[in-house]
Amino acid sequence: MPIPPTMNELISDLLKRIEVGELRPGSQIPSTQELSDHYDLSLSTIHRAVARLREQGVLVGRPGRGVFVAERPQH
Protein backbone atom coordinates (compact mmCIF):
# COMPACT_ATOMS: atom_id res chain seq x y z
CA MET A 1 0.00 0.00 0.00
CA PRO A 2 1.54 3.35 -1.00
CA ILE A 3 2.33 6.00 1.59
CA PRO A 4 -0.26 8.81 1.54
CA PRO A 5 1.04 12.12 0.21
CA THR A 6 1.85 15.09 2.41
CA MET A 7 -0.34 18.16 2.21
CA ASN A 8 2.25 19.88 0.00
CA GLU A 9 2.33 16.86 -2.32
CA LEU A 10 -1.47 16.95 -2.48
CA ILE A 11 -1.37 20.64 -3.40
CA SER A 12 1.28 19.95 -6.06
CA ASP A 13 -0.81 17.13 -7.51
CA LEU A 14 -3.96 19.25 -7.65
CA LEU A 15 -2.00 22.05 -9.34
CA LYS A 16 -0.63 19.54 -11.87
CA ARG A 17 -4.15 18.24 -12.56
CA ILE A 18 -5.27 21.82 -13.22
CA GLU A 19 -2.22 22.54 -15.39
CA VAL A 20 -2.76 19.51 -17.64
CA GLY A 21 -6.47 20.27 -18.00
CA GLU A 22 -7.84 17.36 -15.98
CA LEU A 23 -9.47 19.98 -13.73
CA ARG A 24 -10.50 22.83 -16.01
CA PRO A 25 -11.11 26.47 -15.07
CA GLY A 26 -14.71 26.85 -13.93
CA SER A 27 -15.11 23.15 -13.16
CA GLN A 28 -16.02 21.85 -9.74
CA ILE A 29 -13.34 19.89 -7.94
CA PRO A 30 -14.22 16.55 -6.32
CA SER A 31 -15.78 16.71 -2.87
CA THR A 32 -13.55 16.65 0.20
CA GLN A 33 -14.74 13.09 0.87
CA GLU A 34 -13.85 12.00 -2.68
CA LEU A 35 -10.41 13.65 -2.40
CA SER A 36 -9.91 12.05 1.02
CA ASP A 37 -10.74 8.61 -0.39
CA HIS A 38 -8.61 9.12 -3.52
CA TYR A 39 -5.49 10.35 -1.71
CA ASP A 40 -6.03 8.34 1.50
CA LEU A 41 -5.81 11.52 3.58
CA SER A 42 -7.85 12.88 6.47
CA LEU A 43 -10.63 15.36 5.77
CA SER A 44 -8.77 17.98 7.81
CA THR A 45 -5.71 17.68 5.56
CA ILE A 46 -7.92 18.02 2.47
CA HIS A 47 -9.64 21.08 3.98
CA ARG A 48 -6.28 22.73 4.75
CA ALA A 49 -4.95 22.06 1.24
CA VAL A 50 -8.11 23.43 -0.40
CA ALA A 51 -8.00 26.47 1.91
CA ARG A 52 -4.41 27.18 0.86
CA LEU A 53 -5.30 26.93 -2.84
CA ARG A 54 -8.25 29.25 -2.24
CA GLU A 55 -5.92 31.76 -0.54
CA GLN A 56 -3.66 31.58 -3.61
CA GLY A 57 -6.63 32.25 -5.90
CA VAL A 58 -6.33 28.87 -7.64
CA LEU A 59 -9.69 27.68 -6.29
CA VAL A 60 -12.85 29.62 -5.47
CA GLY A 61 -15.64 28.62 -3.15
CA ARG A 62 -19.30 29.07 -4.01
CA PRO A 63 -21.42 28.85 -0.85
CA GLY A 64 -23.87 25.99 -1.10
CA ARG A 65 -22.43 24.85 -4.44
CA GLY A 66 -18.87 23.68 -3.81
CA VAL A 67 -15.31 24.59 -4.73
CA PHE A 68 -14.32 25.37 -8.30
CA VAL A 69 -11.12 25.93 -10.29
CA ALA A 70 -10.70 29.70 -10.69
CA GLU A 71 -11.16 31.10 -14.17
CA ARG A 72 -7.89 32.17 -15.72
CA PRO A 73 -7.58 35.87 -16.54
CA GLN A 74 -8.20 36.57 -20.22
CA HIS A 75 -5.31 38.21 -22.07
Side-chain angles (χ1 to χ4, degrees), residues 10-66:
L10 166 62
I11 290 170
S12 293
D13 192 60
L14 289 173
L15 289 170
K16 185 179 101 184
R17 290 173 70 184
I18 292 167
E19 186 179 306
V20 301
E22 183 180 334
L23 297 171
R24 297 187 178 283
S27 69
Q28 187 171 10
I29 68 167
S31 71
T32 51
Q33 184 63 57
E34 290 171 319
L35 290 171
S36 174
D37 292 345
H38 178 78
Y39 290 101
D40 193 25
L41 291 171
S42 70
L43 291 175
S44 64
T45 300
I46 300 295
H47 284 291
R48 287 195 320 271
V50 169
R52 185 165 305 161
L53 289 171
R54 287 177 68 178
E55 289 168 6
Q56 295 173 1
V58 175
L59 300 176
V60 292
R62 300 284 184 243
R65 295 190 53 219

